[in-house]
Amino acid sequence: MPLGNDDDRENERDETETQRLDRNWASLLQELRVVQTGVQVLTGFLLTLPFQDRFSTLDDVMQGVYLATVVCSIGSTVLLVAPVGMHRLLFRRHQLTDLVAASHRFALAGIVLLGLALTGVVALVFYMVLNGVAAGVAAGLAAVLFVYVWWIVPVRRRA
């Protein structure tokens, strides 16, 4: 799986393999910095919900949506923070190629779980404010938006 938007082409930057890996690693870390705070805040928010009075009004289906959303959010947090742990354990082991490749896969999987968690949050909010039908429609629209913006648009740009 390609590591970045210019990795499929010949070395147009006139850089060594190590320089390219260093650049890819730095780029990946910057992307993770952007998303990590948001997913951690989302996870913290979700973990407080069962302690709210209105939480008991959720039916069994929406409690299942809530639990699936928490699992996706925590999974996203784990995957988006994993590159940092890997880097610490592999530091000075000359495994930058493996680190960048694995971290790339973790980031992609973490973003997928983040999209699922956000879709679940949309369903929960619309359910609490309106009703189950609105929750389903809103969650479906959110999922379509995430798939379009986070997957279809970039894949089209690559082609």
Side-chain angles (χ1 to χ4, degrees):
M1 187 168 276
L3 300 177
N5 62 356
D6 61 353
D7 293 329
D8 292 336
R9 294 179 261 171
E10 290 296 317
N11 193 349
E12 296 174 0
R13 293 180 182 254
D14 194 31
E15 60 190 0
T16 67
E17 177 70 10
T18 301
Q19 289 170 326
R20 183 183 66 81
L21 287 168
D22 285 341
R23 179 176 50 80
N24 285 337
W25 177 245
S27 177
L28 178 64
L29 285 180
Q30 187 58 33
E31 293 165 5
L32 292 174
R33 282 185 191 104
V34 169
V35 74
Q36 280 177 346
T37 302
V39 74
Q40 289 170 345
V41 168
L42 173 64
T43 301
F45 165 74
L46 287 169
L47 294 177
T48 66
L49 289 183
F51 305 102
Q52 305 301 315
D53 290 337
R54 289 191 62 199
F55 187 82
S56 62
T57 64
L58 292 178
D59 62 22
D60 290 344
V61 170
M62 291 311 292
Q63 285 182 8
V65 169
Y66 167 76
L67 291 172
T69 300
V70 168
V71 167
C72 288
S73 187
I74 289 173
S76 180
T77 300
V78 168
L79 290 168
L80 294 171
V81 175
V84 176
M86 282 189 64
H87 183 261
R88 284 296 89 209
L89 291 171
L90 297 177
F91 187 66
R92 294 186 179 168
R93 303 276 184 204
H94 306 288
Q95 295 183 18
L96 189 57
T97 301
D98 295 334
L99 175 66
V100 171
S103 296
H104 167 71
R105 288 188 298 274
F106 286 148
L108 287 176
I111 289 168
V112 167
L113 288 179
L114 176 59
L116 292 171
L118 290 170
T119 300
V121 167
V122 168
L124 289 165
V125 169
F126 274 77
Y127 180 84
M128 294 302 290
V129 173
L130 296 174
N131 56 48
V133 172
V137 170
L141 290 173
V144 167
L145 180 64
F146 295 138
V147 167
Y148 181 74
V149 173
W150 291 354
W151 186 65
I152 293 173
V153 170
V155 166
R156 283 185 180 168
R157 295 291 304 159
R158 286 178 59 170

